[in-house]
């Protein structure tokens, strides 16, 4: 069953469920590009691993519970061997630094193995202000943008920080910085009511740009992820709140969506 929305589905923006959608999206983009760019280029899914310290702001969010396990006094075995009894301690499991894995796509030249294009689909972790994930993302963004590697970022999340170039311009966006080329950047700006665009994925001369149909990819991911059954459309979408006109439009759209047939 397709999404009731013509483009991005705001109910997928819930941070606790974003990881599943993000992984499927990355896989689908990579698979979509693989056959088109072969044999001169290959698309590879890479992964950054962050160790998030206890004081990182991301731990205060809903996706990162602070959990510890306590064993109450009297649960520890053993016999006493001295008249000077040792006060029974409480056993506490340590809280280890959180490990977060962030996936992205690299297109490489099959002969030189050089990275030609980097594609990032943003996540709540690398959009949260003041976090290690955000700082690492911005460092990589600056480094790649100053190189000969093409940079593409796709943001399907209304919440969180955005680069100045696209702040406040639309609900969602995709941005392309061509490697070695000065500004302006190429951007595709789209809102909740819009279909997702087909964007350009540049390679290296003499190869032309490859079209990447984000709407088609989204439809595939939504269908294969069975999100029609998994999402609860009875309440409001995740924060930030929709603009009043968009909220009324979404409510009317959902009212026209037939309920799923009982199993």
């Amino acid at each position: 069953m397709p999404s009731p929305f013509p483009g991005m589905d705001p109910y997928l923006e819930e941070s606790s469920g974003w990881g599943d959608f993000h992984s499927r999206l990355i896989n689908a983009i990579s698979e979509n590009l693989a056959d088109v760019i072969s044999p001169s280029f290959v698309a590879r899914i890479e992964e950054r691993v962050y160790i998030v310290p206890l004081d990182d702001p991301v731990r205060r969010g809903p996706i990162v519970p602070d959990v510890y396990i306590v064993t109450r006094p009297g649960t520890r075995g053993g016999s006493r061997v001295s008249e000077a009894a040792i006060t029974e301690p409480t056993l506490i499991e340590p809280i280890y630094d959180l490990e977060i894995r962030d996936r992205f796509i690299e297109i490489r030249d099959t002969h030189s193995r050089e990275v030609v294009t980097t594609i990032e689909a943003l996540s709540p972790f690398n959009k949260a202000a003041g976090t290690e994930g955000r700082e690492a993302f911005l460092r990589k963004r600056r480094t790649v943008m100053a190189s000969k590697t093409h940079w593409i970022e796709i943001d399907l999340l209304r919440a969180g920080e955005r680069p100045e170039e696209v702040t406040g311009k639309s609900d969602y966006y995709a941005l392309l910085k061509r490697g070695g080329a000065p500004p302006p950047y190429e951007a595709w700006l789209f809102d909740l009511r819009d279909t997702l665009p087909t964007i350009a994925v540049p390679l290296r001369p003499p190869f032309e740009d490859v079209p990447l149909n984000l709407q088609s990819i989204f439809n595939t991911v939504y269908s294969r992820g069975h999100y029609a059954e998994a999402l609860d459309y009875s309440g409001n979408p995740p924060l930030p709140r929709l603009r009043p006109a968009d909220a009324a439009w979404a409510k009317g759209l959902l009212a026209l969506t037939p309920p799923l047939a009982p199993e």
Side-chain angles (χ1 to χ4, degrees):
M1 183 175 179
S3 167
F5 292 88
M8 178 57 189
D9 189 324
Y11 287 84
L12 286 166
E13 297 179 54
E14 176 61 53
S15 58
S16 61
W18 181 259
D20 179 75
F21 175 75
H22 185 267
S23 293
R24 293 177 185 273
L25 180 67
I26 290 290
N27 288 338
I29 291 174
S30 178
E31 291 173 355
N32 183 275
L33 291 172
D35 290 339
V36 181
I37 64 177
S38 179
S40 297
F41 305 90
V42 292
R44 291 289 180 262
I45 297 175
E46 303 293 341
E47 189 175 68
R48 286 185 299 268
V49 179
Y50 300 104
I51 302 299
V52 183
L54 295 178
D55 59 351
D56 194 289
V58 77
R59 282 185 174 268
R60 295 195 286 270
I63 61 171
V64 186
D66 285 331
V67 178
Y68 59 90
I69 302 171
V70 174
T71 303
R72 295 300 180 186
T75 62
R76 189 177 184 179
S79 59
R80 302 187 184 280
V81 296
S82 171
E83 292 181 0
I86 298 174
T87 303
E88 191 72 31
T90 294
L91 304 182
I92 300 178
E93 293 288 343
I95 306 177
Y96 296 100
D97 287 340
L98 178 72
E99 182 178 278
I100 292 182
R101 299 177 180 272
D102 202 14
R103 305 170 77 203
F104 58 96
I105 297 170
E106 288 184 346
I107 297 177
R108 292 179 175 267
D109 186 297
T110 53
H111 299 291
S112 68
R113 312 309 298 174
E114 292 180 336
V115 178
V116 174
T117 307
T118 297
I119 303 175
E120 293 266 359
L122 275 61
S123 68
F125 180 60
N126 55 35
K127 292 192 69 182
T131 64
E132 171 58 27
R134 179 66 179 166
E135 294 306 314
F137 170 76
L138 292 176
R139 286 195 299 270
K140 179 180 179 182
R141 188 179 194 266
R142 289 191 294 267
T143 300
V144 176
M145 281 189 166
S147 73
K148 294 183 179 180
T149 300
H150 307 300
W151 170 267
I152 295 175
E153 61 192 43
I154 301 168
D155 190 354
L156 299 181
L157 291 164
R158 291 170 297 119
E161 298 290 309
R162 282 186 174 171
E164 293 182 1
E165 301 93 346
V166 288
T167 298
K169 294 187 181 298
S170 58
D171 293 330
Y172 312 104
Y173 76 91
L175 181 143
L176 164 62
K177 161 63 170 69
R178 293 182 184 268
Y185 306 145
E186 297 170 51
W188 293 264
L189 308 173
F190 48 105
D191 292 321
L192 176 65
R193 306 193 198 193
D194 300 327
T195 57
L196 276 64
T198 296
I199 69 173
V201 177
L203 301 171
R204 282 185 176 170
F207 298 94
E208 297 182 352
D209 292 353
V210 173
L212 184 65
N213 187 328
L214 294 181
Q215 187 62 58
S216 176
I217 290 171
F218 175 87
N219 294 343
T220 298
V221 170
Y222 186 92
S223 176
R224 291 179 178 174
H226 295 275
Y227 291 113
E229 297 92 337
L231 296 176
D232 180 8
Y233 288 108
S234 62
N236 294 319
L239 296 175
R241 294 185 182 278
L242 299 179
R243 293 180 290 271
D246 285 342
W249 171 81
K251 184 176 181 180
L253 204 64
L254 292 172
L256 297 175
T257 302
L260 293 175
E263 295 182 357

